[in-house]
Structures are given as C-alpha cells and as structure tokens.
Amino acid sequence: MRVDVYSRHDAYVGTIGSRQLLGFVWTDCLNGEDTVDITTTFPLKEGYRLVWQDLNGVPHEHVCQDPQGASAAGLPIYSDTALNSICELFGDYIEDKRPYGYSFQRALEVCLKPTRWDVGTVDQPGTVSSGLTFYHTDCRTALNDILACGGELETSITVGANGVTGRSVSILKHRGEADGHRRFSYGKDINSIKRTEHWGAITACYGYGKGVETDTGGYGRKLTFGDINGGKDYVEDATALKTYGRPDGKGGFAHVFGKYENSSCEDAGQLKSETQAYLDEHKIPGVTYEADVVDLVAMGRPWEGVGVGDDTQMVDGSFEPTLRCQGRVTKQVIDMLGKTRTVTLGNVTESIADILQQQQQQIANLQNQSGSWDAVASTTPAFLQQLIDSLNEQFNVNGMSYMHVSYQRGFIFSSVPLDEDGNPTATGGTAMQLCSLGFRIASGIKSDGSYDWRTFGTGAGFVADWITTGTLLANLIKAGRLLVGDPNDPVFMADFDSGEVVISATASVGNKTAGEMVVSTDVQYGLSDSASAQPTSWTTTALWQQGKHMWTRVKMTLADGSVQYTTPRRITNDKGIGASEVVEQYYLSTSQTAQTGGSWQSTQPTWVKGRYYWTRSRITWSDGTVTYTTPTLARALTSGNQSTDDLDDNLTQQEVFNRLTNNGQTQGIYLSNKRLYINASYIATGTISDASGRNYWNLSSGYLRTTSGYIGGLTIENSYIGNSTFKLMSNGIHFYYSDYEVGKIGTNRYTGDSSKRGLVFDLEDEGAYMTWSVREAASDDSYTMKLSYINKAFGGFTADTVAIGCDLDGRNYKARNFWIDPNSGGVSGGKTLVSGSSMGTVRLTSPSGTYWDVNVKNGVII
C-alpha cells in the first residue's frame, strides 16, 4: 500500500511506503464519519494531507489533526487519526445567506461557494427547510444543516500527476447500492457476529408541535392533532401492539407509548404525519449487527466488495435458529494492512462525537440567531421560545456542571473541571459565575487558560456581545429614536418622543422617490406688459393694475424640499376688465376624465383613496361678473396622495426593509406578522417592555428588570432564578434533588433575641443528612462523608446525631458541656479501677479527716 503526503499548501512532501507503514485502519460511516488511524515511521505533521487508494481503486484524502510521536526500539513512531478533507470547510465562512425553500442542489451551491469544493451529484428530492439560514457560520456546519433536511453525504476527489486536482460533495437520497447482491455467510467470509439492541419497540406515539400563542402574547399548550384524529393525540399500530405490547391484566395488551416532538411545526396534519413516520421507524426494536468478515476484495475477488450504504444480507448458521438479517451497511472499519474488515448492518449508533457536535451546534445557533434578525422574522414569534426549548433539551441531556464555591468568587458553574481557585483545568469549556455584584457568562477559554467572560448582568444593566431578544412589539417602544444609516443623514428616522418620522428623499416609492411626492401647493399671481410675455415676479396676492395683464400659476413643494411650477396662464387683460378676486377651487372626483361624485370646494377636500383631484379658478371680475377657468386634472396633487397609498398597499414590509437597509446589508429594522424586529445596537434611549409588564428595560437609565425568562440555562421567575438543582430566592439559595427541596443557605435571626443574626445552612425535614465529604482518590466515583449531621437513620447512622468520619484535632482549645458515655465508649486508653467489681472507688482523705470517693470507669470519672 502507498500513501502520498502533501503539505497544507498541497505541496508534495513524500510517499509512505509499505515498510514505513505500520498500521492503516479506515473507518467509514453513513452518518458522515470518515477517519484514518495511521501508524508510521514517516514524520507526520498537523495539516499534512494523506492521499491514498482503497482496494477498489477509489482515491481518498485525509488531513492529519494532531500527530503524536513516540519511540519504539530506537525508531520514531508517529500516529494520528486523520479526518476526511471535507473538514477543511470548517475554515470557510458564510456571513449571511438564506437558502430557505431552495432545492438541495441550489442550497449546496450556496454552501460551497466560498470553498474550493464543487457540487457533485445531488438526487435528493424536495427542498430544504423553509427556515434554513446560513448566518455567521462555517461552511461545514452549513453542510450539516442541509443534511439535517434530508439526504446522505458522499465526498469524492480526483487525482492527477501533481496531487489532488478536484474535490466534490454529493447529497444522495440513497448512498451505496440499493437492493445489493452482497451476502455474508458463516463459513465463507464471516468470522463472528454481534447483535446489539439500542431501543425497545413502541406501539403508539404521542405527537407535540409548537406552543400555541395566546391572546396575551404568551404560549399555552403545545400543538396536538387530536381534533383530526378522533380525539386521540397519539397514533397507534395494531400489529405492533400484538407483537410488542404489554399485558394489560385483562387478557389483552396495553400500548407501549413513545413521544415525538417538533417545536417548529404549526400544522396538525403535518404533525400527525411526522408522528406516524416516527412510529413506523420505532415500532420494531432498533438492532445493529456487527460482523467481523474476511476481506475477499483483498484476496483478489472484487465482486465480493461492499460499501457504506449498500443493502446486504447476513446468514449465520451457528445461531439456533439460523440468523438471517437484511439491512444497510451503516459502518465499515477496514484494516488495509491486515486485510480484514468489520461491517455494521442496521441502525447508526450515536457516538459521543455526535452528541458533542449536536451540543456545539445548539450553542452556535444561539450565537448566530442573536444577530440574525431576518432569520428571526422568517419564523413565527415563538422563535425565542423554540430556541430556549431546544437548548433546554440539550442542557437536560448534556448539562452536567462542575461547581466552585468560595467567599471571594461566589458560585462558578463550569462545563469542565475546576481547580481549587475556580479556574478551568481543561480547554473548550463554558461557565457562569454568580456573586453579589451580579453574574457573568463565558462561552470559551482564553489563551492564558482563564475563562473569556463576555456577557455580564448587574444592577446597572446587561452587557453582551450579542443579545437574542425575540420579538419587540412596536407599540411598546415608548421613547427614544430609531436610526437607519448615517445619524447626520439617515435613510430612516423615527422619534418616538416627538412623533417625527423622516424618510430620505432617495427612498423609492412606486416608480418615484420619496422626494418627488408633493407635500404642499400655493397659487401665485403676477403682472406683465403684454398677452405673450410672462411675469418676472410672482406673489400670492391677486392685485390688477391698469394696462397690465394678470397671470397665475401653482407652486408645488416636493418632499425633498425642491420646488416645481405649473405652466402660467393669463387670467385678465389690460382694459380694466380684470379679476377683482381669484379663488382656487377643488373637486375630488371618482373619475380622471370628468368631475363626478363630488362638488367644488374652496378648500382642498380630504383625500379618498382611488379618487382624483381637479382644480379651477373662480374669478370675480371688476364689473361684478363671475367666471370659472376650465377645470384641469391636478395630476401632481393626485399623484402625491396616490403614491402614499401605493407605499401602503404595494410596498410590502419586506420591501420596506430592503429599501431602508440596502437589501439587508445595513441591519436595523424588520417587520413581519405585525411584529417589529430591531437590532438593539441602534436603540440609543427609551424603554422596552413586554405586554405583560414582566420584563422592563430603560435604555436611558440602564435599569433592567426581568421576572420571567431564561439565561445561561437558568430559569428566571418572579420569585427566583435557578434550575432543577438550585434556586436563588430572596431568603437564600434553595437546593433540590429529584424535585424535592433538601435545604437552603441563607440568613436568619435568633428567636430569643432578634438582634442576633447569622448565616445558616438549613436542612428540610425530607433531607436525610447534611455533610462535608471528600473524593479520596481521583478514580473514586463517590465521596466519603467526614463530618455529617444525620437527620434520618440509614446505613448504620443514628438519627439526630453528628457523625464523624475522621479524627478531631482541637488545636489545644477546650471542649465544653460534653457528655461522654462510659458504657458505650469512654476515653481511648482509659482504665477502670477495679476493686472486686467492674468499677472501683478511690477515696481521697484530707488531713482533717474529710474524704471524697471518686469512681472511675473506662478512663472517665463518674
């Protein structure tokens, strides 16, 4: 076997020959895991690329991660677990792409655009999720998000004379060979078979969707499908009930129930279908068959080959009855040097790597969504609740914490072990610190090994790199200003104190800009010396002079501040027969070709959508006669009002957002489903609160009050902050175990003298003991009790006693008011004075004859 080695920059380094290659085991899984465990005398380095061919001649590329060097028999030995080169996508970044509803082909194109990888075969039908977004994420995570919507991953490379010349990613509806011919048989190519059952069968399944929003803005019970399923919120399988049901004690069978949840599902029919599909997958036990087989391909029989995803059969006559099973190959472990392979047939088991990746993905989603306002708006207003529910599930499964408590640092909860000073002892951890000043949260560890605290909460307010706020109702923004763009020349500005709203003149409205809208009109008059020469000066007062011709025009002021004029027209001659009064009149017509449906008025009537303004002049002449000019359609005046209606009717909220923020490049405001989403960094002052008044944030003073919510995995309620283990309340820290309150740490006063106050550790009546204990060895999985108060008798302890599990050193201080029972212990090494019985008497006599009898037992004077 040959392995070519290239540097991280694809430069050829050398070739590992058969003499240098000591071990080469390839693990390939249907869930995307693809690794090579290599042992060699060739000096490996991090980032080296290993290019090799499998027994079928297919080339592969794996990247060294953390090579380890050792010495054996005087030779340097290097070993590493190298990953499929698709891992390089973790270093390619996507700022903001929204492929929701795209085909799998198009979504993959968007995902791979920042990389050097090409799109291969994509035959997965349908589309990705309507909520799929790539926001501030790496391309490998984006690829996982696509695969979560369907399909199976397959990578491939092409190799030329100078190394890898092409890399591609495929998303297949069925990886491997469907209805494959390959059959493994005991006595031919099976050495052993191991059967593992991962879950028991269920015969019925409840389904739950998104929490239903109430009229008050909260969320009630989760969506179910009982209304369309005969009143049953579950689906069932009669055949599975007969096979896997439990006896009901009445001669029949009782269902074994499971539960399916999709917190984003809002349709009962869809929820029922998904729950039925989940039941169909779990109505038989989840079983995996793992077989050690002879690699017949390595023996020169390529037709005996099998790959991950292939449909295969296994037959083992050593079982009674004969084991016959059929399924897909979900994992292969091939020893390329030993010519053996292990084939897993059945369900893909979840590894610790899968669990850690899921948890990391949930944390990444929290960070991403805190800035992704568009992504929030594309979901329902329950987005934040759904996110918290999802994180709570991860915290419940993987939320084990290490705790440090000290007077100086308060409480520190960490995902990795802590030293005696509360500092992390491993990398990659997260933590939360709670003390009298407030709290702070770290999502990582700095290069010096200390936690990177980035989120803070004190009495003065919150400070954080990102804040996920959910939705802000527009009618609750009571003060302050919202700005989009340059504060000195904003695209949009809304002043909630004065009610002033400013839209840039360059903002588009229909086929025009906002600046082209008419905001006011004024009729002007002027005098000239002839019927053909127009006036050179104009006023708003109509005053005729002998021998002069009078003209009129309309001055229009636009939204951008510019001015336009109508064409001037002559309204009197030079003979003295002129207008003594000119009044502009208006008609709001239902037609743009005639005056109908209204009446002429001397003041501009209120605009009605879909109508048209007409204007004319009522002229009173100097001889007392009255005439009217020919009515004309006031196109500018009508257009200005109609454009405003067009803005309301034709310009969607999505389009408003795009226009105001340069198609989303400037993050600021977004409206959806009657909700206003705001990037908090744009809010300089004012007040934000929820509809129920439980959460309140005064941005001017910095005062923040919250009585309902979640933060760092802790629940915030009106009377406490905490989780299932502890709750911080006004009277102390209460501790719980299995939903029972065990006790609390707090303060109180002495009932006999209220001026005497102190710190207390209170044990509730349900608590069996209170103890100081120690892990005596690092390998111990339990702690040894050293000083304990026993409330309830158990394990050899007596109730209402203080038990000691170590020596007491009084440090030369006195012990007062103790009663030592000589009948059940006494003093170590103490003697009993015996004078014919078990207890003796010593008589002490004074010179005067007075005496005292002293009885001693077990070293104790009694």
Side-chain angles (χ1 to χ4, degrees):
M1 181 180 180
R2 157 184 180 151
V3 179
D4 291 331
V5 183
Y6 295 84
S7 71
R8 65 172 63 249
H9 300 124
D10 291 338
Y12 177 72
V13 176
T15 297
I16 303 177
S18 57
R19 292 186 178 181
Q20 294 174 290
L21 196 59
L22 305 179
F24 197 94
V25 178
W26 175 34
T27 301
D28 188 17
C29 297
L30 193 58
N31 65 359
E33 180 184 354
D34 184 356
T35 63
V36 162
D37 291 296
I38 183 173
T39 304
T40 179
T41 58
F42 188 95
L44 299 177
K45 294 182 179 180
E46 185 272 329
Y48 272 9
R49 296 177 175 270
L50 310 178
V51 179
W52 57 282
Q53 288 187 350
D54 62 23
L55 297 174
N56 293 317
V58 177
H60 301 271
E61 181 184 37
H62 289 75
V63 182
C64 291
Q65 302 298 306
D66 186 21
Q68 302 293 319
S71 178
L75 293 175
I77 303 297
Y78 299 87
S79 61
D80 187 39
T81 298
L83 304 182
N84 184 298
S85 57
I86 192 70
C87 68
E88 71 179 38
L89 267 62
F90 283 113
D92 295 312
Y93 199 72
I94 300 176
E95 289 191 0
D96 187 7
K97 295 294 181 182
R98 305 182 180 103
Y100 32 73
Y102 283 17
S103 67
F104 282 86
Q105 170 91 19
R106 181 69 184 115
L108 185 58
E109 291 172 355
V110 174
C111 172
L112 297 181
K113 185 175 181 180
T115 77
R116 61 175 174 174
W117 288 68
D118 299 321
V119 176
T121 301
V122 180
D123 61 6
Q124 174 65 22
T127 62
V128 298
S129 168
S130 60
L132 179 64
T133 59
F134 304 150
Y135 185 76
H136 292 186
T137 188
D138 60 80
C139 294
R140 186 64 179 90
T141 301
L143 177 58
N144 284 342
D145 291 341
I146 296 175
L147 294 171
C149 301
E152 297 171 351
L153 174 67
E154 185 174 72
T155 63
S156 60
I157 64 170
T158 55
V159 180
N162 296 319
V164 178
T165 58
R167 300 169 176 85
S168 64
V169 177
S170 297
I171 297 180
L172 308 175
K173 64 180 179 182
H174 188 290
R175 180 183 170 188
E177 185 178 354
D179 300 323
H181 67 281
R182 185 68 168 94
R183 175 172 174 171
F184 295 99
S185 301
Y186 185 75
K188 171 192 171 188
D189 49 10
I190 291 181
N191 294 325
S192 65
I193 291 181
K194 180 174 69 174
R195 180 183 187 274
T196 303
E197 184 170 318
H198 303 287
W199 67 75
I202 61 175
T203 64
C205 186
Y206 281 91
Y208 299 101
K210 190 196 76 171
V212 179
E213 187 172 6
T214 65
D215 294 337
T216 61
Y219 294 88
R221 300 179 62 187
K222 294 182 178 180
L223 174 70
T224 58
F225 49 77
D227 291 341
I228 62 172
N229 192 44
K232 296 180 179 180
D233 291 334
Y234 61 89
V235 293
E236 55 190 330
D237 189 290
T239 303
L241 176 62
K242 294 180 180 179
T243 306
Y244 299 106
R246 294 175 301 197
D248 61 0
K250 302 176 183 179
F253 295 98
H255 276 303
V256 178
F257 283 96
K259 182 176 72 171
Y260 170 79
E261 290 193 67
N262 180 356
S263 59
S264 64
C265 183
E266 302 180 72
D267 180 76
Q270 176 187 344
L271 178 62
K272 180 183 176 184
S273 298
E274 292 178 0
T275 307
Q276 183 65 57
Y278 181 85
L279 173 61
D280 292 341
E281 293 177 1
H282 292 79
K283 65 184 180 182
I284 59 175
V287 177
T288 294
Y289 292 94
E290 185 176 296
D292 289 327
V293 301
V294 178
D295 196 344
L296 296 180
V297 176
M299 305 300 179
R301 303 177 67 179
W303 61 88
E304 298 281 8
V306 67
V308 169
D310 288 356
D311 293 335
T312 61
Q313 300 86 39
M314 288 186 183
V315 179
D316 190 345
S318 64
F319 281 83
E320 182 61 38
T322 298
L323 172 64
R324 301 177 184 272
C325 56
Q326 178 174 328
R328 296 185 68 190
V329 175
T330 57
K331 180 178 179 180
Q332 275 200 122
V333 180
I334 304 175
D335 187 339
M336 301 295 292
L337 303 183
K339 313 301 183 184
T340 62
R341 71 174 66 195
T342 299
V343 176
T344 299
L345 184 68
N347 305 100
V348 180
T349 58
E350 185 176 48
S351 65
I352 186 64
D354 296 322
I355 297 174
L356 292 176
Q357 181 179 0
Q358 293 170 10
Q359 186 175 20
Q360 182 180 7
Q361 179 65 36
Q362 291 295 336
I363 296 173
N365 286 341
L366 176 60
Q367 295 170 334
N368 293 343
Q369 295 294 349
S370 62
S372 182
W373 309 108
D374 289 351
V376 174
S378 67
T379 68
T380 63
F383 163 75
L384 186 60
Q385 185 61 45
Q386 297 168 16
L387 179 61
I388 291 174
D389 289 343
S390 177
L391 282 174
N392 275 331
E393 291 180 7
Q394 294 300 316
F395 273 94
N396 291 337
V397 175
N398 305 301
M400 180 180 68
S401 296
Y402 298 88
M403 184 173 69
H404 167 83
V405 182
S406 66
Y407 175 79
Q408 295 83 0
R409 307 191 70 179
F411 290 84
I412 298 179
F413 301 91
S414 170
S415 63
V416 299
L418 300 170
D419 62 19
E420 60 184 7
D421 296 322
N423 298 314
T425 60
T427 59
T430 59
M432 177 179 181
Q433 181 179 3
L434 183 67
C435 62
S436 60
L437 179 63
F439 67 85
R440 60 180 180 174
I441 302 172
S443 62
I445 296 175
K446 296 189 293 187
S447 58
D448 62 1
S450 64
Y451 270 118
D452 185 13
W453 306 105
R454 305 293 298 173
T455 302
F456 302 83
T458 69
F462 282 169
V463 177
D465 288 339
W466 298 96
I467 298 177
T468 300
T469 63
T471 61
L472 300 177
L473 297 179
N475 62 349
L476 296 179
I477 302 178
K478 302 177 181 178
R481 303 176 72 194
L482 291 178
L483 286 174
V484 177
D486 187 346
N488 298 319
D489 184 21
V491 176
F492 175 85
M493 186 276 289
D495 191 322
F496 292 96
D497 294 318
S498 65
E500 178 186 6
V501 177
V502 176
I503 301 178
S504 171
T506 59
S508 297
V509 180
N511 295 324
K512 298 181 179 181
T513 64
E516 295 176 307
M517 292 191 299
V518 178
V519 296
S520 67
T521 61
D522 207 353
V523 180
Q524 295 182 331
Y525 304 92
L527 299 176
S528 73
D529 295 326
S530 70
S532 59
Q534 297 182 7
T536 57
S537 63
W538 298 83
T539 68
T540 57
T541 304
L543 296 175
W544 176 79
Q545 296 179 18
Q546 181 70 33
K548 298 289 186 179
H549 297 262
M550 180 176 286
W551 299 69
T552 185
R553 69 180 182 182
V554 178
K555 175 185 177 181
M556 298 177 295
T557 303
L558 306 185
D560 62 1
S562 63
V563 176
Q564 295 182 7
Y565 300 91
T566 61
T567 302
R569 68 180 186 273
R570 190 169 64 100
I571 59 175
T572 187
N573 59 22
D574 59 349
K575 301 300 183 182
I577 305 299
S580 61
E581 181 185 48
V582 178
V583 178
E584 191 75 11
Q585 292 187 327
Y586 303 87
Y587 193 106
L588 188 60
S589 174
T590 58
S591 170
Q592 61 178 333
T593 60
Q595 301 90 57
T596 180
S599 62
W600 288 101
Q601 302 177 34
S602 297
T603 57
Q604 181 177 320
T606 303
W607 168 255
V608 177
K609 180 180 178 181
R611 296 201 175 190
Y612 304 88
Y613 279 117
W614 291 74
T615 62
R616 73 180 183 182
S617 295
R618 179 183 183 275
I619 305 173
T620 301
W621 298 94
S622 57
D623 61 358
T625 60
V626 176
T627 62
Y628 298 91
T629 60
T630 302
T632 58
L633 180 64
R635 297 183 182 276
L637 190 57
T638 300
S639 175
N641 285 275
Q642 188 60 52
S643 294
T644 302
D645 286 342
D646 292 342
L647 177 63
D648 293 335
D649 297 339
N650 299 329
L651 196 59
T652 65
Q653 293 176 348
Q654 173 76 47
E655 187 64 22
V656 170
F657 176 77
N658 289 338
R659 291 174 184 270
L660 297 182
T661 62
N662 192 18
N663 291 321
Q665 295 184 23
T666 303
Q667 296 292 320
I669 306 170
Y670 181 69
L671 291 163
S672 179
N673 296 330
K674 299 181 180 180
R675 298 292 191 272
L676 175 65
Y677 300 87
I678 304 173
N679 187 327
S681 62
Y682 288 90
I683 302 177
T685 185
T687 301
I688 300 174
S689 64
D690 58 31
S692 62
R694 302 186 70 183
N695 298 288
Y696 173 93
W697 190 359
N698 188 317
L699 299 176
S700 300
S701 65
Y703 174 76
L704 173 68
R705 183 192 69 201
T706 177
T707 58
S708 178
Y710 299 88
I711 185 167
L714 301 177
T715 299
I716 301 175
E717 284 296 340
N718 189 44
S719 60
Y720 74 89
I721 176 173
N723 54 25
S724 60
T725 302
F726 82 98
K727 293 181 180 179
L728 178 60
M729 300 182 182
S730 60
N731 63 344
I733 305 176
H734 295 244
F735 295 91
Y736 301 80
Y737 189 87
S738 298
D739 296 329
Y740 287 95
E741 181 176 2
V742 179
K744 77 172 190 297
I745 301 176
T747 60
N748 64 11
R749 60 180 176 83
Y750 182 56
T751 56
D753 185 353
S754 61
S755 66
K756 301 301 185 291
R757 306 175 183 90
L759 176 68
V760 296
F761 296 78
D762 291 335
L763 181 67
E764 296 296 327
D765 61 332
E766 288 290 333
Y769 61 89
M770 180 186 298
T771 184
W772 279 266
S773 58
V774 64
R775 188 199 297 270
E776 295 183 328
S779 59
D780 290 347
D781 57 2
S782 62
Y783 290 78
T784 302
M785 300 166 66
K786 294 299 183 181
L787 179 60
S788 312
Y789 170 72
I790 309 303
N791 186 39
K792 298 179 182 296
F794 67 95
F797 291 103
T798 303
D800 196 25
T801 61
V802 173
I804 300 174
C806 59
D807 295 335
L808 284 181
D809 184 354
R811 307 290 293 173
N812 297 320
Y813 286 87
K814 299 176 181 178
R816 297 183 174 90
N817 300 322
F818 276 79
W819 170 257
I820 300 176
D821 185 0
N823 295 311
S824 59
V827 179
S828 176
K831 302 298 183 179
T832 299
L833 295 180
V834 180
S835 179
S837 65
S838 61
M839 181 174 66
T841 301
V842 175
R843 173 164 292 181
L844 302 178
T845 306
S846 69
S848 62
T850 303
Y851 64 89
W852 300 265
D853 289 336
V854 180
N855 298 322
V856 181
K857 185 177 182 180
N858 291 329
V860 179
I861 297 175
I862 59 174

